[in-house]
Amino acid sequence: MRTTITLDDDVAALIESERARTGESFRAAVNRLLRRSARAGPSAAPPALPKFPGEPILDVSDVSALLAALDDERRAQRGVT
């Protein structure tokens, strides 16, 4: 099958570096890389983050609470109440 596609510059550079490494034609390199990518399937999920025992001291997703806790800590270090 013959078709025309527009490649992003970074993709074209990757194909060219593969061609230089393997000595393949452009067509052979593209076909091999597409087959390999199609066989690989969906990318694996990132590994789960470790879980530590106990309750968190701060909820870092709550920026307001985090900033308030930092302000309280700075005041305590300076002896200001």
Side-chain angles (χ1 to χ4, degrees), residues 16-59:
E16 287 302 321
S17 70
E18 272 297 294
R19 289 183 63 206
R21 187 181 69 79
T22 63
E24 293 176 307
S25 68
F26 183 84
R27 175 183 173 175
V30 167
N31 282 314
R32 181 177 54 79
L33 293 169
L34 285 172
R35 283 187 189 100
R36 183 173 70 187
S37 177
R39 278 194 301 264
S43 57
L49 295 174
K51 297 195 185 222
F52 298 102
E55 292 295 316
I57 297 170
L58 293 171
D59 178 4

Side-chain angles (χ1 to χ4, degrees), residues 5-18 26 30:
I5 61 171
T6 303
L7 301 174
D8 292 340
D9 292 339
D10 61 323
V11 174
L14 289 170
I15 294 170
E16 287 302 321
S17 70
E18 272 297 294
F26 183 84
V30 167

Side-chain angles (χ1 to χ4, degrees), residues 58-64 66:
L58 293 171
D59 178 4
V60 294
S61 65
D62 184 354
V63 176
S64 298
L66 181 59

